[in-house]
Amino acid sequence: MADGKVLIIGGGVAGLSAALGLARLGLEVQIVEKKSFLGGHAIRFSCKATDRCVKCGACRVEETLKNVTNNPKIKVWTETRVINVSKANTFTIHLSKRPEYINPRKCTRCGACFDQCPESGALIQGHSNYNFPFIAIYEEKCRFMRDRSCCICQEICPEAAIQLDGNSQQKVYLADAIIIATGFQPFNPESKPYGYNSFPNVITNLQLEEMLKRESIVLRPSDNTIPKKIAFIQCVGSRDAKLNHLWCSKVCCASALRLARLIKSRQPEIEISFFYIDVQTFGRDFQAFYAAVQNEVRMIRNIPGDIYQTEDKRLQVNFYDAALAVTQEEIFDMVALSIGITPSSELNKMVELFELRLDETGFAFGSGETQWFSVPGVYTAGTASGPMSIADTIASASQAVTAVAKLLRQKAG
Amino acid sequence: MDKTILIIGNGNCAQRIAENLLVQGVNVIIASKDQHFEFALSSAAKRQTWGSIEILTPTSVLACYGFIGLFDILFQSAREKIRRNASIIIIAEDYELKPNFDLYDLNPSVYVWSLSQINESVNGLQHLKKNLPIGSKIAFLTGLIKESNAVIQENVMRTALRLQLDLELQTYIFTGNLKVSGKGLEALSRELKKAGAVISKFTKNIPQIIQNRDGSISITYLDEVTLQHFILIPDITVVDETIYPSNYLPHLADVFGLETDLLGFLQADNVHRIQTHTNRKGILAAGPSKAVQSIADHLSDADGAAQTAIEFLRGSFFQTRYTAEINTGMCVRCLTCLRLCPHHAISFGAKLGVILEACEGCGLCAAECPATAISQQHLQDNIINQNFLNRPKQIDPASPSIVAFCCGRSAVPCAELARCMRHKLPQGLFIVEVPCACSISIEYILTAFTNLAEGVLVLTCHEGNCYSEKGILFANNRTNQVLDFFEQTTSSGKRIEMHTIASNMGTEFFEIVNQFEKMLIDMGPLH
Ligand SMILES: Cc1cc2nc3c(=O)[nH]c(=O)nc-3n(C[C@H](O)[C@H](O)[C@H](O)COP(=O)(O)OP(=O)(O)OC[C@H]3O[C@@H](n4cnc5c(N)ncnc54)[C@H](O)[C@@H]3O)c2cc1C
Ligand code: SF4
Ligand code: SF4
Ligand code: SF4
Ligand code: SF4
Ligand code: SF4
């Protein structure tokens, strides 16, 4: 194995897995993550085990993050972006890291700042024990960043770990290869007639995942009561010709049905309806899972037209009942929209920086070595190149690693 | 480590694994039970190949001795027995397709074809063209009685599209759920409909399919969209297929001691095994020997397997600090350990021993050895360490002393997460990290009680997520045994509980330990 340095853009499960693979081959790896916390979307997911593990893969993300944290070959840059790239024999990459407001070496995670901050959302918490620091400042919300009208956290932090007027850092890094692992963008369902963001009890499945992880049960957002009836609406933003989203997001049938069974096992009194087009096959025991879920969940093969809110903040869902050939109206306490995986707008920046090519759906073209590149040495991993599950993401990362290993071997002659 | 890797396989996946390894300077042996293994390096690979290759055909594996780094494999070839050494073994046998004639209660005839059959004919278009006039009706039955998957249905849709466009036939697809969870499949299904194919989906009342005496078919169905009844008499009815593992796999599972999934693929249904790991360190299952998946996924497995193999060769595989050790003086040669070790890490020769390279430190052997002849490195320090012995032992009824045996893969990170989420954990909680549920022996549980614990928690991974597959069952049995013992000796209720948990669920951890504490407080002190 030849020596080499690799830069990975994006610290979701794709970037983390690729980093581990490369480090284990003896390469030096840098991960650049624009957000405060590593782990991407999947670090926020809930375990969906009922009486046994249902192989959702969420805990694998936690484990991968732990292994990355403990690997001395991997260096992580959070709150950092790639500004500029030039390519000669190697890549010269200019990075910009936002000021380090909270010093991870000093912060003891006591949470004093979090409790005292007057602006909700200005301080955010990580999702894993391996997020360093565990607390971060969200610049858009923080009053100090806006008009310097508050610096409570800095004053009260017992460890003096907070420094609100730090400077951003610029770095130049040389790399032999680049892996683009910028992930996906969850579909924003505001444009759909489901009242998302105006009806409090219409949430996305991502929010439901987070709620189950945080609270371990489902509560109706408007009043924190236990809902009696929940509806899942599938394929929101996927398989949608009007949006020109001609793809299935691959993961939402599995995620929603596993969540539904989890809820049933914790709160059996809740009635769950599942509005769908087709149920996709997932897992090694799908046949048995599907049979079981049909007993616990009411399956309705139709995607509702629209949703209205009643006076008591319940939701009237209108759908077509094919069996009776009539339009039905039914009241639910809560609706979870299974929003799809869509291409991240970050990909456009990657197109500019690396001449990355996108396919007709807007995702990166291919992955690993099959990625068409005008600049040799640039590869993609994970959902940057299309919808995939955590397991598939880990597999695609291994393709990128293999491609890098081959390239370096070639270079070494 | 010797730099030779054995690949057992016969298709594209095996070929690609070999190529990946050769260009990294690794020597490869390919053993296939087929007559020939066509191995052609891609021209790019040819220019930069450093490893050597040996192809053994036709051979089948007879036996395998040794462990990661030093496997010793015995093959039967046409004429003789062959012996080879390899550091790592990768299995990539192609899977088999079997038509679902029985499922639909149909007999193959000129009117009833399998998916593979029509696929082959589509490739020789001329023949079909001659026999099927334009507009002939072709019906596909897929995923009606049993759920299908995207791999098979992609094949169905691609075939139908060619029949529809190239031969101008009228195709019908009868299915339950249309499987489009693969790259480009939603677009493909739309293209197919645009080309004029009819896709009928059934939720409850599946079509009635009747085979007449002459072998021809009539399909009667209720269309769920229009609510109208139809009868279709297709010129050809195509029955879909099910993917089965190669019939060589049961033998390989046996010879190598591999856990399989429900269908018989060589990877247990366990997220720890992602991407190509098996229960045996140094033996990998890739592509069509691993699971039902697309060809693209097979190739990605080829990359993943080669990469893992090279990681192993570099010595950078997980080395546990908890390896087991047999005190041969105490051993009564009952062979319990040999029988139970989930990772086949016990060697059986002149004397019994633990193969350190293969041992994952699960502790099952140590906990089950009837002669207590096995100990685990470092574990003793975790269990009765100074912190535990010196912990404040004032008997405070408001914060009873709780010992939680926590699996290092799940419950320990969970406890840490709970702490950083700032859940207030019981003051009397003392966490003992164990490498796996397997190692929580009855002795350890009792030790906790004799050291003044008021209650004991056993917190492990969820069933189906145990790194050593069955650790949870053993832990559960032992917990119940202690519980039985307690119920006979005291009447103060259940002071020991077992729960399963995943590493990312801090809140759940908090709920479990707090409820347990509350219960202990209600019960009053034990000591
Ligand atoms: C509702 C929902 C439920 C799901 N449930 C499951 C499930 O149960 N099981 C399962 O297997 N899969 C599930 N998935 C899929 C899973 O989320 C993905 O497989 C996984 O998150 C993909 O990881 P990734 O690293 O490719 O992308 P992401 O998780 O999106 O990570 C990308 C990372 O890159 C960072 N980044 C982006 N651009 C830049 C940039 N320019 N510079 C630096 N950093 C950047 C982002 O901040 C992010 O951290 C689900 C998906 C959804 C939407
Ligand atoms: S259900 Fe998911 S998170 Fe829970 S143990 Fe299984 S794979 Fe891990
Ligand atoms: S400065 Fe004020 S608003 Fe900003 S994070 Fe600190 S406490 Fe919150
Ligand atoms: S996985 Fe299911 S819910 Fe998601 S887009 Fe595909 S069919 Fe729709
Ligand atoms: S279980 Fe114990 S006594 Fe039995 S063979 Fe193994 S070491 Fe010896
Ligand atoms: S500790 Fe586990 S892996 Fe090691 S020898 Fe004992 S049973 Fe086998």
Side-chain angles (χ1 to χ4, degrees):
Chain A
M1 187 67 231
D3 294 335
K5 292 180 178 178
V6 186
L7 182 88
I8 297 176
I9 306 171
V13 63
L16 296 173
S17 310
L20 263 187
L22 292 164
R24 285 177 179 156
L25 294 178
L27 302 173
E28 242 178 76
V29 189
Q30 311 262 335
I31 302 178
V32 177
E33 167 59 56
K34 66 172 180 181
K35 295 215 173 133
S36 305
F37 307 118
L38 287 181
H41 288 97
I43 198 72
R44 287 141 72 174
F45 294 167
S46 168
C47 167
K48 299 166 202 77
T50 47
D51 56 334
R52 52 184 296 126
C53 162
V54 295
K55 335 289 171 187
C56 76
C59 58
R60 259 309 287 260
V61 183
E62 182 84 18
E63 192 188 326
T64 309
L65 178 53
K66 172 180 161 187
N67 291 338
V68 164
T69 310
N70 294 336
N71 195 311
K73 285 259 177 196
I74 303 171
K75 175 112 185 59
V76 174
W77 297 94
T78 50
E79 302 173 340
T80 304
R81 282 178 171 281
V82 176
I83 301 301
N84 196 343
V85 182
S86 57
K87 157 102 186 168
N89 193 21
T90 50
F91 295 90
T92 308
I93 302 128
H94 295 258
L95 301 174
S96 168
K97 179 167 169 57
R98 205 186 85 166
E100 191 176 72
Y101 303 116
I102 303 184
N103 184 335
R105 290 162 298 281
K106 286 191 180 167
C107 171
T108 57
R109 308 176 165 193
C110 71
C113 54
F114 195 80
D115 294 339
Q116 300 289 322
C117 172
E119 183 70 48
S120 121
L123 280 165
I124 48 175
Q125 274 187 306
H127 314 280
S128 158
N129 182 34
Y130 304 99
N131 285 143
F132 294 101
F134 189 70
I135 293 176
I137 288 180
Y138 186 55
E139 284 176 332
E140 272 101 291
K141 287 271 173 77
C142 169
R143 294 183 185 175
F144 181 89
M145 304 299 151
R146 195 175 55 212
D147 52 15
R148 309 207 154 215
S149 65
C150 167
C151 60
I152 292 177
C153 54
Q154 181 172 318
E155 280 163 11
I156 58 122
C157 172
E159 310 294 327
I162 304 184
Q163 185 66 48
L164 289 165
D165 53 1
N167 293 319
S168 58
Q169 291 169 265
Q170 312 300 320
K171 289 256 163 203
V172 181
Y173 182 68
L174 300 179
D176 300 290
I178 311 278
I179 294 180
I180 296 173
T182 47
F184 67 96
Q185 203 150 302
F187 176 70
N188 180 353
E190 274 175 22
S191 60
K192 289 270 160 189
Y194 297 143
Y196 181 70
N197 264 352
S198 32
F199 307 156
N201 295 324
V202 176
I203 64 169
T204 67
N205 50 344
L206 274 178
Q207 289 168 303
L208 186 61
E209 288 261 13
E210 286 177 39
M211 182 192 288
L212 280 158
K213 177 163 175 170
R214 205 176 49 238
E215 320 279 352
S216 49
I217 54 168
V218 186
L219 296 171
R220 208 166 81 122
S222 64
D223 55 5
N224 276 333
T225 57
I226 294 175
K228 288 193 194 70
K229 282 176 75 179
I230 303 179
F232 281 84
I233 301 179
Q234 295 306 104
C235 302
V236 178
S238 317
R239 307 186 67 185
D240 189 328
K242 276 194 209 124
L243 295 167
N244 201 24
H245 288 182
L246 297 186
W247 62 84
C248 156
S249 290
K250 279 179 91 172
V251 296
C252 15
C253 278
S255 158
L257 288 174
R258 284 167 175 158
L259 284 172
R261 289 198 74 194
L262 175 66
I263 295 169
K264 279 303 249 187
S265 79
R266 296 247 168 94
Q267 297 159 282
E269 68 283 4
I270 298 181
E271 277 174 41
I272 298 180
S273 303
F274 183 81
F275 293 92
Y276 72 105
I277 305 173
D278 295 291
V279 179
Q280 301 304 317
T281 300
F282 53 86
R284 291 179 192 254
D285 60 346
F286 178 70
Q287 199 76 32
F289 181 95
Y290 191 42
V293 83
Q294 280 171 304
N295 283 330
E296 294 169 14
V297 173
R298 177 168 154 235
M299 311 285 286
I300 302 163
R301 200 168 197 170
N302 186 256
I303 298 298
D306 44 19
I307 296 178
Y308 296 96
Q309 186 169 263
T310 63
E311 267 168 24
D312 55 352
K313 298 234 159 33
R314 299 173 84 203
L315 301 158
Q316 177 190 317
V317 176
N318 300 333
F319 63 99
Y320 180 76
D321 188 333
L324 304 171
V326 290
T327 303
Q328 302 264 34
E329 295 165 358
E330 194 171 324
I331 305 284
F332 292 89
D333 299 294
M334 213 176 137
V335 171
L337 306 176
S338 278
I339 52 172
I341 289 180
T342 63
S344 156
S345 57
E346 297 288 338
L347 285 173
N348 298 327
K349 291 180 199 147
M350 297 300 127
V351 170
E352 275 169 38
L353 288 170
F354 299 104
E355 299 171 45
L356 185 78
R357 207 180 72 173
L358 306 184
D359 68 14
E360 66 283 0
T361 54
F363 289 102
F365 186 90
S367 66
E369 221 185 9
T370 56
Q371 163 69 44
W372 180 92
F373 45 85
S374 34
V375 188
V378 180
Y379 309 98
T380 59
T383 47
S385 66
M388 54 180 96
S389 67
I390 292 164
D392 291 347
T393 299
I394 294 173
S396 88
S398 78
Q399 278 186 298
V401 170
T402 300
V404 170
K406 269 191 197 160
L407 176 90
L408 294 179
R409 187 78 206 213
Q410 231 167 340
K411 267 194 175 177
Chain B
M1 249 190 211
D2 168 37
K3 271 197 172 186
T4 302
I5 291 181
L6 168 67
I7 302 168
I8 300 173
N10 53 354
N12 286 343
C13 182
Q15 151 102 25
R16 178 153 168 151
I17 295 168
E19 190 168 316
N20 281 337
L21 292 170
L22 289 170
V23 298
Q24 294 294 341
V26 177
N27 302 332
V28 169
I29 301 171
I30 298 180
S32 170
K33 66 175 176 18
D34 294 357
Q35 284 301 322
H36 299 289
F37 187 94
E38 295 295 332
F39 187 80
L41 275 176
S42 69
S43 52
K46 248 181 225 155
R47 266 180 275 124
Q48 36 158 319
T49 295
W50 285 274
S52 71
I53 182 162
E54 181 185 20
I55 297 179
L56 304 173
T57 51
T59 47
S60 66
V61 180
L62 284 180
C64 172
Y65 311 98
F67 47 87
I68 179 167
L70 203 68
F71 287 111
D72 179 6
I73 309 107
L74 187 65
F75 301 94
Q76 178 71 57
S77 81
R79 262 168 279 120
E80 50 182 349
K81 289 198 167 62
I82 308 175
R83 237 192 153 103
R84 289 290 181 275
N85 287 331
S87 296
I88 315 285
I89 300 169
I90 306 175
I91 304 173
E93 277 287 315
D94 266 345
Y95 50 47
E96 285 169 24
L97 290 170
K98 290 188 192 153
N100 292 324
F101 291 121
D102 290 350
L103 200 61
Y104 298 105
D105 204 10
L106 298 178
N107 294 315
S109 73
V110 283
Y111 302 101
V112 180
W113 296 29
S114 74
L115 186 58
S116 295
Q117 236 176 322
I118 190 118
N119 257 327
E120 278 159 32
S121 310
V122 169
N123 291 332
L125 277 179
Q126 291 314 320
H127 174 73
L128 273 185
K129 225 175 206 160
K130 228 174 35 215
N131 294 309
L132 288 170
I134 288 177
S136 298
K137 297 181 182 120
I138 315 284
F140 289 83
L141 308 178
T142 174
L144 279 173
I145 294 171
K146 237 171 76 182
E147 288 295 314
S148 181
N149 54 55
V151 180
I152 293 291
Q153 293 210 344
E154 171 166 11
N155 196 344
V156 168
M157 288 193 277
R158 292 211 184 283
T159 310
L161 187 65
R162 290 201 61 187
L163 296 176
Q164 192 78 37
L165 291 180
D166 298 350
L167 292 174
E168 297 176 59
L169 306 180
Q170 179 56 52
T171 57
Y172 299 81
I173 295 178
F174 295 98
T175 185
N177 288 304
L178 191 66
K179 307 289 178 177
V180 288
S181 61
K183 206 167 177 76
L185 298 192
E186 174 68 16
L188 174 65
S189 76
R190 285 170 193 266
E191 199 184 337
L192 188 57
K193 277 185 227 166
K194 222 167 104 195
V198 178
I199 301 181
S200 296
K201 299 193 239 180
F202 300 87
T203 314
K204 284 192 192 83
N205 306 316
I206 66 162
Q208 211 186 355
I209 304 153
I210 291 169
Q211 186 161 29
N212 304 314
R213 259 207 210 121
D214 63 351
S216 67
I217 300 288
S218 65
I219 303 175
T220 315
Y221 63 99
L222 172 71
D223 184 89
E224 288 190 4
V225 180
T226 60
L227 294 183
Q228 283 184 319
H229 288 275
F230 291 95
I231 297 180
L232 180 74
I233 315 250
D235 297 285
I236 295 178
T237 300
V238 180
V239 166
D240 74 347
E241 290 166 322
T242 303
I243 295 172
Y244 290 94
S246 149
N247 60 17
Y248 192 25
L249 294 196
H251 174 70
L252 293 178
D254 201 37
V255 167
F256 292 114
L258 300 179
E259 302 257 359
T260 62
D261 72 359
L262 285 171
L263 294 168
F265 288 100
L266 297 182
Q267 189 182 57
D269 191 4
N270 185 322
V271 291
H272 292 296
R273 308 284 180 251
I274 296 169
Q275 182 182 2
T276 55
H277 293 282
T278 65
N279 56 310
R280 286 197 69 182
K281 207 191 276 176
I283 303 185
L284 306 173
S289 287
K290 180 188 102 177
V292 175
Q293 50 181 25
S294 69
I295 290 172
D297 291 341
H298 293 340
L299 297 183
S300 128
D301 270 3
D303 288 2
Q307 186 190 316
T308 307
I310 292 170
E311 282 169 19
F312 278 149
L313 287 182
R314 292 177 47 86
S316 58
F317 49 88
F318 173 62
Q319 277 277 11
T320 170
R321 57 197 291 266
Y322 296 107
T323 42
E325 210 174 346
I326 298 180
N327 179 338
T328 36
M330 289 164 80
C331 165
V332 296
R333 294 182 75 82
C334 67
L335 305 189
T336 306
C337 53
L338 182 75
R339 188 167 47 82
L340 289 181
C341 174
H343 306 286
H344 293 249
I346 306 278
S347 72
F348 176 57
K351 77 181 201 222
L352 223 52
V354 174
I355 304 158
L356 293 183
E357 291 84 346
C359 173
E360 300 270 20
C362 70
L364 185 57
C365 56
E368 294 294 316
C369 170
T372 57
I374 308 181
S375 59
Q376 252 181 300
Q377 296 276 314
H378 301 290
L379 189 60
Q380 207 69 20
D381 314 344
N382 285 14
I383 306 267
I384 322 172
N385 63 15
Q386 287 309 310
N387 287 340
F388 178 62
L389 295 175
N390 299 338
R391 79 196 195 284
K393 258 177 267 165
Q394 85 283 17
I395 297 173
D396 176 1
S399 67
S401 160
I402 301 171
V403 175
F405 291 99
C406 289
C407 168
R409 286 198 171 79
S410 50
V412 170
C414 223
E416 286 162 359
L417 181 58
R419 287 214 176 93
C420 63
M421 289 167 91
R422 290 188 293 131
H423 287 304
K424 215 172 152 287
L425 300 179
Q427 277 201 323
L429 178 68
F430 188 83
I431 289 178
V432 177
E433 175 169 351
V434 294
C436 173
C438 297
S439 60
I440 308 167
S441 66
I442 291 181
E443 189 197 336
Y444 289 145
I445 297 174
L446 295 177
T447 306
F449 281 111
T450 51
N451 280 284
L452 299 185
E454 295 282 304
V456 170
L457 281 170
V458 173
L459 301 177
T460 73
C461 302
H462 288 297
E463 194 183 336
N465 191 27
C466 173
Y467 188 81
S468 302
E469 297 302 338
K470 300 207 171 65
I472 294 143
L473 300 179
F474 282 94
N476 198 14
N477 285 346
R478 296 182 202 132
T479 309
N480 286 336
Q481 278 177 44
V482 178
L483 207 56
D484 284 352
F485 170 74
F486 259 88
E487 274 170 0
Q488 282 160 17
T489 52
T490 63
S491 53
S492 59
K494 302 191 169 172
R495 288 184 179 270
I496 166 164
E497 275 183 15
M498 176 168 159
H499 294 270
T500 62
I501 198 160
S503 60
N504 54 351
M505 301 303 282
T507 304
E508 233 182 301
F509 183 91
F510 160 73
E511 284 167 357
I512 290 171
V513 291
N514 272 41
Q515 269 167 25
F516 189 64
E517 182 189 46
K518 222 180 263 156
M519 194 193 72
L520 290 179
I521 294 173
D522 289 348
M523 280 200 280
L526 169 73
H527 292 288

